[in-house]
Amino acid sequence: MTEITQTTDAIDRRGWVFYDGECRFCRRWVRSMTGVLDRHGFSMVSFQSQWVAARLGRSISERPTELVLLTVGGEMVGGIDALVFLARHVSWARVLCLPARLPGVMPVLRVVYRIVARNRYRLWGRCSSAGCAVSHRTLLKGE
């Protein structure tokens, strides 16, 4: 059974969350949220997997710019919109969606998400099969 087809009879699969498997912060988030999201029908899959690369028509070596959610219906949602989508499906996290409903909040959250995503390797480090390392470049320098 592959990581994509793993399901249990008790859970209706709602979708897959594609994350950057080379991002230390992303990997920590996945470790902490896999159980919760799996119980709610979402599987976590690294962008660096063959299935994701084939499904999205991209190279495994291509760096993802944001987390992406693929629903079983084929809808793709990315970035903060994907996180809000996921929060709506987790009972204790629904309250986090309330501010997102206020006028003007989502555009601000999207900008903040993009800044954090663009700087994730510099802030938290990058991982590979050899382990994780933190970049010593400053936040203002390009990659």
Side-chain angles (χ1 to χ4, degrees):
M1 202 175 268
T2 68
E3 59 190 325
I4 296 301
T5 58
Q6 289 176 344
T7 60
T8 65
D9 294 333
I11 299 174
D12 289 328
R13 196 59 33 208
R14 291 182 174 163
W16 299 269
V17 179
F18 305 147
Y19 68 93
D20 183 358
E22 294 182 351
C23 166
R24 178 182 277 177
F25 173 77
C26 306
R27 287 168 65 153
R28 283 186 196 152
W29 182 79
V30 166
R31 275 195 305 272
S32 67
M33 294 303 294
T34 294
V36 171
L37 291 176
D38 192 55
R39 283 190 299 277
H40 290 85
F42 298 97
S43 295
M44 308 287 244
V45 187
S46 170
F47 269 109
Q48 288 75 19
S49 74
Q50 290 289 340
W51 186 87
V52 174
R55 176 68 173 98
L56 299 180
R58 56 190 302 271
S59 165
I60 288 177
S61 63
E62 184 180 336
R63 283 188 186 169
T65 58
E66 64 184 1
L67 173 131
V68 172
L69 168 69
L70 172 64
T71 67
V72 292
E75 178 183 5
M76 288 182 56
V77 184
I80 194 69
D81 295 280
L83 292 175
V84 170
F85 184 101
L86 292 167
R88 281 192 214 121
H89 290 84
V90 178
S91 57
W92 58 263
R94 285 187 190 123
V95 69
L96 301 173
C97 298
L98 296 176
R101 291 180 162 179
L102 297 173
V105 171
M106 281 305 289
V108 171
L109 291 176
R110 287 181 187 114
V111 168
V112 170
Y113 181 96
R114 276 189 236 115
I115 290 169
V116 171
R118 185 174 45 243
N119 293 289
R120 67 190 179 276
Y121 296 135
R122 285 186 287 259
L123 294 170
W124 293 284
R126 187 171 183 167
C127 301
S128 67
S129 58
C132 296
V134 176
S135 171
H136 297 289
R137 288 183 264 181
T138 63
L139 192 59
L140 299 177
K141 289 185 180 177
E143 285 190 36

